[in-house]
Amino acid sequence: MRAKSGRPGRPGRRGWLGVRSAAGQVLFLQIVVAAVLIVAAIVALIYESRYDSERDALNRSLAAAESFAEAPGTAAALRSADPGAVLQEPVERAWTGSGVDFISVMRPDGIRVADNEQSLVGERAEGVQRAADGWGFTEIFEGEPNDAARAVVPVTAPDGTVVGMVAAGVSIESVGDAVDRQLPLYFGAGGVALALATVSALLVSRRLRRQTHGLGPAEMTRMYEHHDAVLHAVREGVLIVGEDGRLTLVNDEARRLLDLPPDAEGRPVAELGLARDTAELLASGRPVTDEVHLVGDRLLAVNTRPTRPFGGPSGTVATLRDTTELRAVTGMAEVARERLTLLYEAGVRIGTTLDVVRTAEELTEVAVPRFADFVTVELLDPVLRGEEPSEAHAVMRRAAVSGVRDDHPLQPVGDVIRFDVATTPMAAALDSGRAVLEADLTLAHGWREQDPEGADRALAYGIRSLVTVPLQARGVVLGLADFWRSERSERFEEEDLAFAEELAARAAVAIDNARRFTREHTMAVTLQRSLLPRVLPEQDAVDIAYRYLPAQAGVGGDWFDVIPLPGARVALVVGDVVGHGLHAAATMGRLRTAVHNFSALDLPPDELLGHLDELVSRIDEEESGEGAAGITGATCLYAIYDPASGACCMATAGHFAPAVVRPDGTVEFTDVPVFPPLGLGGGPFETREVRLSEGSRLVLYTDGLIEHRDRDVDTGLRLLGSTLADGGARTPEETCRAVFEAMLPPHRSDDIALLVARTRLLSDEQVADWDVPRDPAAVAPVRAACGRQLEQWGLEEIGFTTELMLSELITNAIRYGSEPIHVRMLRDRALICEVSDGSSTSPHLRRAATTDEGGRGLYLVSQFAGRWGTRYTPSGKVMWTEQPLAGGAPLVAPLFDDALDDAALGDAAW
C-alpha cells in the first residue's frame, strides 16, 4: 500500500483547490494559463478583424467615390439644368457594380441630386463641408440615414471650381456582419487550441506522475529519509566529488574498495591516499565507462558521470565495481570468442580456389599468427595429383609452409617428409587419427629420433611447442598439419587440441573437395585434348598457328579445326559449346566429328551449317526425353579458303566474325551475316565471300578471348583490333603470342581458342586450265595439252594415268553434261585435276555386267586416283581427282582383258 503523506497521525495536506499531488497542480495551472491566453488571443483577433474590416470598407468607399467623381461627364452633368435626371441612372449602375452600400451625388451645398435610394434625393447630407471646400475625406459616420464607413470627394470643373460632391460608403452593419462571419472560426480555433493545450498538459502531468509515482511532498520527504540506508546497502561503491575536487558523498562499499579514512568526506580527493591515476580521474570530472584501475590487489571498473545534467550542484558521481574475479572469466571468454572468430574465417578463407596446394596454403595463412607461429602441411602424392589417396601414409610431400618469419629451419615446400619412426608425434597422430600435443619439444625425445639434425636446428631457432593433426575426410587420411609455437608465444595446452582438430577437419574437407575437382578437371581436360586436333594436317593453302587454353574452373566446349579440302582448298573451323565440364567436352567432340563428316561431302559453308543445325536439333529432341542436357547453344564459324583464287567463303551460326589483317597492317572485322546458334532452327544460313591477298592473316577466336567479367565484348574487340594492327609483318605464331600477351585475362572463366591462318596463293606456273567445247573431237587436243603441261611440271611418270582419267572425265562431261565445260590442273602437294560442267547430275559407281559396253569409266578413275569426288557449284558440278606427284598407280593388265570378272570391275557407271 502507498504510505500516507505527512507525519504519523496527521492527514496529508491538499494543495490548490483540493489537488493533492504536484502533478495535478501542474495540470491545473497549465490549463488555466492556456485558457487565459486563448481568450486574450480571440479578443485581440476580433478587434483586429473589425479594424481591418473598417479599413477595407473605407478603402472601397473611397475607390468608388473617386471613380464616379472622376468619370467622364460627371462634372458636366452637375452643371446641367437637371443633374438628377442625368446622373440617377449612372449612380444606380455604379452602386450595383461597386459593392458599396450607397452612392450619392450632391451639389456644393450638400443637397443630394442623385442617390441609389431615390427617397433621399433632395435632402441635405450632413458633415460634407470639407469636400465642398475641395478636400476629399473618409470617416466612420454616425447619423442619418445610417451609421457607415463613408468617403466624400469633390467634383471639380476644368477651371478647378467645386461643382458637386460624390459620397460612397458601407454601412457599419455590413462591416459587423463580416466580423461576425469570422467569429465561429476564431472560437473553433480557440477551442482546438484549448483542447491541444489540455491534452499536452495531461501528457506532461502523466509523465510527471510516472516519474514521481504520484507521491506528494510528504511522501517524497519520507523517501529521502531512507536515502542513506539504501545508499550504503548496495554492493557497488558510490561517491560524489564536488566541482572543487572535494569528496562530498561516499558510501560504505566505496570506503572499503578504496580503503578511505573515516573523515574522507569534505577532503580533496588528492589527499585521500589514492593511486595517482585514480585520483586524477575522480578530480577531473572526465566521463568514463568501465575504466579499469588497480587499487591495491583489486581491479576496479570505474564509471564517472557529471551531475549537472541531472540536477543538483555541479560535480561528478563515480561508481566502483570489483572485477578481480570477473577478469579471469572474461579472459577465458575472450579466448573462446577469438577461436570462434578464427573458425569462422577458416570456413570463409579455406577452399576458395578448388586447388589442392592453394587450399593447403590457405590453412597455414589462417592459423598464423593467431594460433601458431609456424604451420606446415604435408599431403600424400596421390592427393596432390587429384587421385584417391592410398592407405599407406608414411611418406608425404610438404605442400605449404607459413610463419611469422621467413628464415625458419623447417623443410621447404616440395620436400619429401617421412614418418618411419613410430615414436614421433606425427606418426602417433596418423596411427590414432587424433591430434597429438608436444607441449615442450625440449623434453620430447621421440620427436628427435626421426631427424635429429633438423630437430636441433628447430630448437636452436626457438621452436618449443607442437600440435600435430591428421587431415582426414570420409575417414581417409589426406595429409598432416603441424602447428608450431616458438619462445615468443605461450606453449600449447590440452585445450588447444580440440580447436586444432576442428580447424584441420574443415581444411581436410576443403582439400578433399579440391582433390575431387582436380581429378574431374584432369579427366575433362584429357578428354577435351583428345578430341581436339593434336597435329594439324599438311596443306599449302595457309600457314597455321593456334592456341588453346581451358578454363581454370573447368573445361568448356571450345574447339577449332583445319580440314584440307579438294582443289588445294582448306576449311577453317572454330566453335563453342555453352557450358563447362565433361558434357560440354563430349558435345564438342560430337560436333567436331559431324563437321568433319559434312566437310567430306565438300558442301559450301551455308549448307554445312544447315546440316549441322538439323543434326543438333535432332540430338536435342532425342535427349530431352531422357532428362539429359541438350547441346543447344553451340556456335560455329566455318570458312573455306581457295588458294587458287584467293577467295574465302564463310558462314556463322551465332559466332563472332573473324578478323582479317591485310598485308599492309590494316585490320577489319568481316561483315558476316549473323544467325542464331545451332539447334535453334535459324537457317537457311548465308555466306560472305572476301578476297584475301597473299600474306593476309585470318584470325578466328572464341568469346573467352575477348569477353570476361572485367571486360565487355566491345572493349575486347577494340583491344583485339589494336593488338593485331600493331603487328606489321608478324608470323602466325608471333600473332598468337602477341594476342595472348595483350588479352589473356587474369582468371579464365571460359575456354579460349585462337586460330591464325596466313594465306598463300598458287602461282600462275602451278595452274593450267582449258575451256572445252561440247564436241567429242575436242577430247584429244585437250588431252595432248594436258600431257605437255605435265612434261613442263616434270610429272611424266604419272602422265599416262592422268591423261587416261582426264579422257574419261571429259568424254563423259561432253556426253552427259552441259556447257560450259572447263578443265583445270593444279600442281600442289598433289596433282589435282578438275573437270567442270553446267550439269548438276552426279555420276555414281555401279556394277557393270560383262556384256555392258559402258559403265567402267568411273571405276578406272577410282582405281588410278589417290582421291576423287564431286562437288557442286552454283553453276553446275566439278569432278576432281588427286594423285601423288611421284609413283603413280600401276596399270592393271586384266582391266583390258575380256575375261575380267564382274566383281573386279566393281560398281562403275555414269
Side-chain angles (χ1 to χ4, degrees):
M1 296 177 60
R2 180 182 296 175
K4 295 182 179 180
S5 63
R7 283 183 269 178
R10 292 187 180 183
R13 293 185 301 171
R14 292 183 176 271
W16 306 330
L17 302 179
V19 180
R20 176 177 175 274
S21 66
Q25 295 174 6
V26 170
L27 172 63
F28 178 77
L29 179 61
Q30 286 183 323
I31 294 175
V32 171
V33 171
V36 171
L37 292 177
I38 292 171
V39 170
I42 292 175
V43 172
L45 286 173
I46 291 174
Y47 276 104
E48 182 179 3
S49 177
R50 186 173 185 84
Y51 175 79
D52 292 340
S53 298
E54 290 178 352
R55 291 295 94 194
D56 181 65
L58 291 173
N59 291 335
R60 286 190 289 128
S61 300
L62 179 61
E66 288 180 343
S67 298
F68 195 90
E70 295 175 0
T74 301
L78 286 170
R79 299 174 68 179
S80 65
D82 189 1
V86 177
L87 294 175
Q88 181 62 36
E89 184 179 352
V91 165
E92 291 178 356
R93 290 199 305 270
W95 170 69
T96 303
S98 63
V100 296
D101 290 341
F102 65 87
I103 295 179
S104 179
V105 181
M106 300 163 285
R107 295 200 301 263
D109 57 0
I111 299 301
R112 295 182 177 90
V113 295
D115 197 297
N116 61 292
E117 289 287 339
Q118 294 186 5
S119 61
L120 297 178
V121 175
E123 295 186 6
R124 184 182 299 276
E126 299 179 3
V128 296
Q129 186 58 41
R130 285 181 291 174
D133 295 339
W135 302 96
F137 65 91
T138 60
E139 65 178 353
I140 302 299
F141 174 75
E142 296 180 357
E144 293 297 335
N146 53 25
D147 298 342
R150 73 175 184 176
V152 184
V153 297
V155 180
T156 58
D159 57 359
T161 60
V162 177
V163 297
M165 297 172 289
V166 176
V170 178
S171 65
I172 294 300
E173 183 179 357
S174 299
V175 174
D177 290 343
V179 175
D180 293 343
R181 286 194 298 272
Q182 297 181 8
L183 288 179
L185 176 63
Y186 294 156
F187 285 116
V192 172
L194 182 60
L196 292 175
T198 303
V199 171
S200 64
L202 285 171
L203 294 175
V204 172
S205 175
R206 183 179 178 183
R207 183 175 180 84
L208 182 60
R209 184 181 298 274
R210 283 202 308 268
Q211 292 179 345
T212 62
H213 300 286
L215 296 177
E219 293 171 327
M220 296 179 67
T221 300
R222 184 176 180 183
M223 180 183 67
Y224 279 108
E225 290 176 353
H226 296 284
H227 167 265
D228 286 343
V230 174
L231 180 67
H232 295 294
V234 297
R235 292 286 307 276
E236 198 170 67
V238 180
L239 53 86
I240 298 178
V241 179
E243 192 175 13
D244 57 355
R246 295 179 178 272
L247 184 65
T248 60
L249 183 145
V250 60
N251 70 347
D252 293 341
E253 183 68 8
R255 292 180 186 274
R256 184 184 70 84
L257 294 176
L258 296 177
D259 196 18
L260 297 177
D263 59 343
E265 293 181 334
R267 295 174 56 183
V269 175
E271 300 177 1
L272 297 179
L274 301 175
R276 181 178 177 181
D277 57 343
T278 305
E280 289 179 353
L281 172 63
L282 296 177
S284 66
R286 174 170 56 90
V288 298
T289 300
D290 287 339
E291 186 174 300
V292 179
H293 288 255
L294 179 63
V295 179
D297 57 349
R298 298 187 181 95
L299 288 174
L300 302 183
V302 182
N303 294 271
T304 60
R305 294 291 186 274
T307 59
R308 181 182 295 275
F310 310 101
S314 299
T316 302
V317 59
T319 60
L320 312 172
R321 185 173 70 255
D322 191 354
T323 62
T324 305
E325 297 179 357
L326 183 61
R327 192 72 174 175
V329 177
T330 303
M332 297 174 63
E334 181 66 19
V335 171
R337 186 187 67 80
E338 291 181 358
R339 294 288 172 85
L340 288 175
T341 302
L342 187 57
L343 286 176
Y344 170 76
E345 291 186 10
V348 174
R349 294 175 54 186
I350 298 177
T352 60
T353 61
L354 291 177
D355 180 81
V356 174
V357 174
R358 180 57 192 151
T359 304
E361 293 173 350
E362 289 169 344
L363 168 60
T364 64
E365 293 168 359
V366 166
V368 176
R370 288 187 288 177
F371 180 66
D373 295 331
F374 301 93
V375 179
T376 59
V377 176
E378 292 82 53
L379 297 175
L380 294 169
D381 280 338
V383 175
L384 291 171
R385 295 192 300 267
E387 301 172 0
E388 190 71 24
S390 59
E391 296 182 359
H393 44 255
V395 179
M396 298 185 185
R397 190 173 300 276
R398 181 144 293 171
V401 180
S402 289
V404 293
R405 293 172 56 183
D406 296 332
D407 58 343
H408 56 78
L410 303 173
Q411 289 178 257
V413 173
D415 274 16
V416 174
I417 311 297
R418 296 185 176 276
F419 309 108
D420 300 328
V421 180
T423 57
T424 61
M426 293 79 168
L430 292 172
D431 290 339
S432 64
R434 302 297 302 272
V436 173
L437 168 67
E438 285 291 352
D440 191 351
L441 291 175
T442 60
L443 304 176
H445 299 290
W447 170 64
R448 300 171 55 88
E449 294 180 7
Q450 179 71 48
D451 183 10
E453 295 181 0
D456 292 340
R457 288 194 300 270
L459 293 175
Y461 183 81
I463 292 178
R464 289 293 183 270
S465 190
L466 166 68
V467 170
T468 180
V469 190
L471 298 173
Q472 300 180 91
R474 301 172 290 109
V476 179
V477 174
L478 306 176
L480 193 72
D482 300 320
F483 303 92
W484 312 81
R485 283 184 181 174
S486 59
E487 292 176 342
R488 72 182 190 90
S489 304
E490 297 180 357
R491 294 173 179 172
F492 286 113
E493 300 177 353
E494 292 291 337
E495 291 80 5
D496 296 317
L497 292 179
F499 174 77
E501 287 181 343
E502 179 66 23
L503 186 61
R506 299 191 180 199
V509 172
I511 290 173
D512 192 48
N513 290 337
R515 179 196 63 79
R516 290 171 177 243
F517 172 80
T518 301
R519 181 186 60 185
E520 294 181 1
H521 182 71
T522 302
M523 291 172 59
V525 170
T526 302
L527 172 62
Q528 187 181 43
R529 293 195 180 279
S530 67
L531 297 174
L532 289 171
R534 299 185 179 181
V535 179
L536 294 181
E538 296 182 355
Q539 45 78 37
D540 291 332
V542 290
D543 293 328
I544 294 292
Y546 64 91
R547 291 289 188 277
Y548 181 84
L549 285 178
Q552 291 175 324
V555 298
D558 293 13
W559 91 90
F560 65 93
D561 218 332
V562 178
I563 306 172
L565 297 177
R569 297 169 303 145
V570 64
L572 305 175
V573 191
V574 65
D576 184 6
V577 175
V578 175
H580 296 85
L582 292 174
H583 180 265
T587 301
M588 176 269 291
R590 296 169 73 180
L591 293 183
R592 179 171 177 258
T593 302
V595 170
H596 266 273
N597 293 335
F598 289 137
S599 65
L601 301 177
D602 208 351
L603 299 173
D606 54 342
E607 293 185 20
L608 185 143
L609 291 182
H611 287 295
L612 197 61
D613 182 63
E614 294 177 3
L615 174 65
V616 171
S617 299
R618 186 166 62 255
I619 293 175
D620 283 340
E621 292 176 0
E622 294 173 355
E623 294 186 348
S624 60
E626 302 174 1
I631 59 177
T632 300
T635 66
C636 183
L637 172 69
Y638 189 83
I640 296 177
Y641 173 68
D642 186 355
S645 62
C648 182
C649 183
M650 60 190 74
T652 178
H655 204 84
F656 289 102
V660 176
V661 185
R662 302 291 182 180
D664 59 0
T666 59
V667 179
E668 64 181 34
F669 288 91
T670 310
D671 185 17
V672 183
V674 179
F675 288 85
L678 300 172
L680 299 180
F685 297 91
E686 296 180 15
T687 60
R688 166 72 181 221
E689 184 174 302
V690 294
R691 295 285 175 173
L692 302 178
S693 56
E694 187 168 13
S696 299
R697 280 168 289 161
L698 192 64
V699 181
L700 290 75
Y701 51 90
T702 57
D703 58 353
L705 178 68
I706 61 173
E707 182 183 16
H708 57 83
R709 60 185 178 185
D710 298 325
R711 184 172 64 207
D712 57 21
V713 174
D714 293 336
T715 303
L717 289 175
R718 287 195 297 269
L719 180 58
L720 177 60
S722 61
T723 303
L724 295 175
D726 292 340
R730 285 182 180 146
T731 64
E733 182 64 30
E734 292 170 344
T735 302
C736 288
R737 189 182 306 115
V739 169
F740 264 41
E741 289 176 354
M743 303 192 60
L744 198 63
H747 179 77
R748 299 188 304 279
S749 59
D750 196 4
D751 291 8
I752 298 175
L754 175 66
L755 183 65
V756 180
R758 184 171 60 184
T759 61
R760 295 178 179 177
L761 287 178
L762 296 179
S763 63
D764 294 339
E765 290 77 12
Q766 293 178 277
V767 181
D769 57 350
W770 302 268
D771 291 323
V772 181
R774 192 174 183 184
D775 183 358
V779 176
V782 174
R783 176 174 177 172
C786 293
R788 290 191 295 270
Q789 185 63 53
L790 292 175
E791 291 178 1
Q792 292 179 11
W793 285 341
L795 302 178
E796 297 88 346
E797 185 179 355
I798 61 174
F800 178 76
T801 56
T802 303
E803 293 177 18
L804 180 61
M805 290 188 293
L806 282 174
S807 296
E808 292 294 333
L809 296 178
I810 296 172
T811 300
N812 285 282
I814 293 174
R815 179 177 299 177
Y816 302 107
S818 59
E819 292 182 331
I821 301 174
H822 189 78
V823 177
R824 184 174 69 166
M825 289 197 306
L826 306 176
R827 186 184 186 279
D828 194 40
R829 288 181 176 270
L831 178 63
I832 302 168
C833 299
E834 298 178 344
V835 177
S836 62
D837 65 83
S839 172
S840 60
T841 302
S842 175
H844 62 279
L845 286 171
R846 69 176 178 85
R847 179 179 298 277
T850 306
T851 58
D852 289 345
E853 296 182 0
R856 299 178 179 85
L858 192 56
Y859 177 73
L860 291 176
V861 173
S862 66
Q863 293 297 311
F864 292 148
R867 296 174 59 210
W868 68 278
T870 305
R871 70 173 181 269
Y872 295 93
T873 65
S875 59
K877 68 175 180 298
V878 176
M879 286 292 298
W880 57 270
T881 64
E882 282 188 11
Q883 297 171 262
L885 298 181
L891 286 176
V892 183
L895 287 177
F896 305 99
D897 192 346
D898 292 339
L900 186 64
D901 189 279
D902 263 354
L905 290 175
D907 302 330
W910 281 84

